[in-house]
């Protein structure tokens, strides 16, 4: 597998970038959102890639950041979604919004993305929700002498009917304000006050 490509921009288009590696020029499919971040012609680039192999075809797909490539890989594992469809889907939504819609099982929001109908949206949620919501960045905070874990907070609030993206957004806000610490009951009350 070609994990990444380093070289200079030979040419770029909204859905393709051509990278001169010094001996060959590679054509790489990109999404529209990454096109805006691609350097100018002649400038250097390092781009994460995914090599799609078929019987009579080799295609490279490129991503400026690892998170978008990760979501792309998850999407192409969903039945009925190939690389071209996945790259088009990622052109029409930010990674964070896409993931939030999946984790919160928001079929309506996913269905608004061109190329996704309600049936496909449900299939995406069913197939990859667990993969992208398995771990939270807030678990890292539990190592810093806290009196509780992320799971404690999540279990308590999800049992009240709150969704993961609501809980994570509230925790993020509290953490920025230095309030995600101390007694668990107080922290849960603070999270609830932010969510409401």
């Amino acid at each position: 597998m070609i994990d990444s490509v380093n070289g200079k921009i030979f040419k770029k288009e909204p859905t393709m970038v051509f990278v001169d590696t010094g001996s060959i020029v590679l054509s790489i499919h990109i999404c529209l959102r990454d096109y805006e971040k691609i350097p100018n012609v002649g400038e250097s680039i390092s781009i994460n890639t995914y090599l799609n192999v078929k019987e009579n075809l080799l295609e490279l797909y490129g991503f400026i950041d690892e998170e978008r490539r990760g979501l792309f890989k998850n999407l192409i594992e969903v039945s009925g979604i190939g690389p071209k469809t996945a790259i088009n889907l990622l052109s029409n939504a930010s990674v964070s919004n896409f993931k939030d819609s999946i984790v919160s099982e928001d079929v309506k929001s996913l269905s608004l993305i061109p190329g996704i109908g309600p049936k496909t949206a449900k299939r995406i949620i069913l197939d990859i929700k667990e993969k992208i919501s398995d771990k939270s960045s807030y678990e890292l905070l539990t190592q810093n002498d806290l009196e509780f874990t992320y799971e404690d907070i999540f279990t308590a609030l999800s049992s009240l009917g709150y969704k993961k993206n609501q809980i994570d957004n509230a925790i993020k806000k509290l953490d920025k304000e230095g309030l995600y610490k101390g007694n668990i009951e107080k922290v849960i009350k603070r999270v609830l006050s932010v969510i409401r």
Side-chain angles (χ1 to χ4, degrees):
M1 162 132 178
I2 300 173
D3 188 67
S4 64
V5 170
N6 298 301
K8 291 188 176 181
I9 304 294
F10 180 76
K11 185 171 75 169
K12 65 176 187 174
E13 299 170 359
T15 59
M16 294 285 292
V17 63
F18 299 82
V19 179
D20 185 346
T21 64
S23 54
I24 56 172
V25 175
L26 296 172
S27 59
I28 304 170
H29 296 271
I30 57 171
C31 72
L32 289 171
R33 287 176 178 264
D34 275 348
Y35 174 73
E36 300 163 3
K37 302 173 186 175
I38 297 289
N40 295 321
V41 172
E43 293 184 8
S44 298
I45 187 174
S46 178
I47 187 167
N48 300 304
T49 55
Y50 173 84
L51 179 63
N52 182 44
V53 181
K54 288 185 179 179
E55 275 187 38
N56 302 313
L57 181 70
L58 290 175
E59 292 177 317
L60 265 180
Y61 289 84
F63 310 88
I64 294 299
D65 61 80
E66 181 58 43
E67 192 178 15
R68 195 181 301 277
R69 180 171 66 171
L71 183 53
F72 172 86
K73 287 180 178 179
N74 287 328
L75 283 171
I76 61 175
E77 289 177 4
V78 176
S79 175
I81 296 182
K84 286 186 178 176
T85 302
I87 206 84
N88 287 337
L89 297 180
L90 292 173
S91 291
N92 287 286
S94 70
V95 171
S96 58
N97 286 344
F98 208 118
K99 285 187 171 182
D100 284 347
S101 295
I102 293 169
V103 172
S104 62
E105 299 185 13
D106 191 345
V107 174
K108 187 175 179 182
S109 291
L110 283 173
S111 299
L112 293 175
I113 300 171
I116 297 183
K119 284 185 179 178
T120 305
K122 288 175 184 175
R123 196 159 61 238
I124 288 171
I125 291 168
L126 184 66
D127 286 0
I128 68 177
K129 179 185 173 183
E130 292 305 315
K131 295 175 185 176
I132 64 173
S133 62
D134 209 17
K135 296 286 181 184
S136 169
S137 59
Y138 301 112
E139 289 176 324
L140 299 175
L141 295 171
T142 65
Q143 299 168 7
N144 299 325
D145 299 321
L146 297 179
E147 298 173 25
F148 54 86
T149 65
Y150 170 80
E151 280 79 13
D152 294 333
I153 301 291
F154 179 76
T155 301
L157 294 172
S158 60
S159 67
L160 296 174
Y162 293 102
K163 294 182 177 176
K164 188 176 187 299
N165 66 318
Q166 292 178 296
I167 297 168
D168 284 356
N169 287 338
I171 290 175
K172 191 183 293 183
K173 188 174 189 299
L174 290 178
D175 184 47
K176 279 183 181 177
E177 296 171 359
L179 298 173
Y180 185 62
K181 59 186 177 183
N183 181 279
I184 185 169
E185 290 179 9
K186 289 181 180 178
V187 172
I188 288 174
K189 285 178 182 178
R190 289 172 195 155
V191 173
L192 286 171
S193 69
V194 172
I195 290 177
R196 288 172 184 164

